[in-house]
Amino acid sequence: RRPPTYPFFRFTTLFRSRADEPRLASYSDMLGKTICRPSGYATFQLEENDLKEPNVTLFRPVDPRECFTGLVEGSVDVVALAVGTAEGLMVETSTPDQIVMNADLSQVLTIHALTSKNHPRGQEILAEFNSGLNAIKETGEWFQIVRRHLIEHRAKTQG
């Protein structure tokens, strides 16, 4: 029996749209729309909901700022980004009343450590990883590390 894997990171992806457009109540409301998901960002959560070509048009810029610029200008209908990434970019590229969050469509995604089922020490490695992760979470060190890296990432991606 394999030990459980605990997520070591969680993030929420939100779908944002223009305030002057009808709210998105379901994923099917996005069919036929242009969705911005920056290049290098995973698209599986879109694909799981049939939000893939030719059902939608995907706009994949290198710079995530272009998603919000396109949304405000009207060349993009929906922006699919994690909360932390989107917050600063929205402030840079729009006013608060121009963009709405479609909270009913939010997705909490997790990142897990995995090992091969066939690895002779797989269970031991996962147990050791989980133990270490829990230890640094209890001391608060984990959150300091995450915060430091998020600040550095935002500084690089949000100018």
Side-chain angles (χ1 to χ4, degrees):
R1 186 165 183 265
R2 297 187 57 76
T5 63
Y6 301 103
F8 64 89
F9 192 72
R10 286 188 171 108
F11 58 97
T12 303
T13 296
L14 292 174
F15 295 88
R16 290 180 163 81
S17 56
R18 283 187 303 281
D20 61 351
E21 293 287 328
R23 288 267 178 154
L24 303 171
S26 69
Y27 295 108
S28 64
D29 289 344
M30 289 187 254
L31 298 177
K33 307 253 185 221
T34 299
I35 300 174
C36 187
R37 183 81 173 148
S39 177
Y41 288 59
T43 59
F44 68 89
Q45 69 272 40
L46 300 174
E47 294 164 8
E48 288 173 344
N49 293 290
D50 270 342
L51 301 175
K52 57 186 174 186
E53 307 263 355
N55 300 337
V56 298
T57 301
L58 286 179
F59 176 53
R60 307 289 314 255
V62 172
D63 186 343
R65 284 180 195 84
E66 292 182 47
C67 289
F68 288 103
T69 301
L71 187 61
V72 170
E73 292 174 353
S75 61
V76 168
D77 300 303
V78 179
V79 173
L81 276 174
V83 172
T85 303
E87 298 293 316
L89 298 176
M90 283 187 358
V91 171
E92 279 183 39
T93 58
S94 63
T95 60
D97 61 334
Q98 289 180 294
I99 297 174
V100 294
M101 172 178 55
N102 298 281
D104 293 341
L105 304 178
S106 64
Q107 299 172 333
V108 177
L109 303 174
T110 58
I111 298 174
H112 297 257
L114 305 172
T115 63
S116 168
K117 288 180 180 182
N118 300 324
H119 192 289
R121 293 185 48 236
Q123 291 182 17
E124 178 186 341
I125 291 168
L126 279 180
E128 189 174 331
F129 179 85
N130 287 334
S131 174
L133 180 60
N134 287 334
I136 65 173
K137 280 184 175 182
E138 286 176 12
T139 67
E141 184 180 3
W142 167 252
F143 300 102
Q144 292 172 4
I145 293 167
V146 170
R147 184 174 186 275
R148 183 179 70 238
H149 286 278
L150 286 174
I151 288 169
E152 290 174 16
H153 173 72
R154 287 183 187 135
K156 289 178 186 173
T157 60
Q158 297 175 17

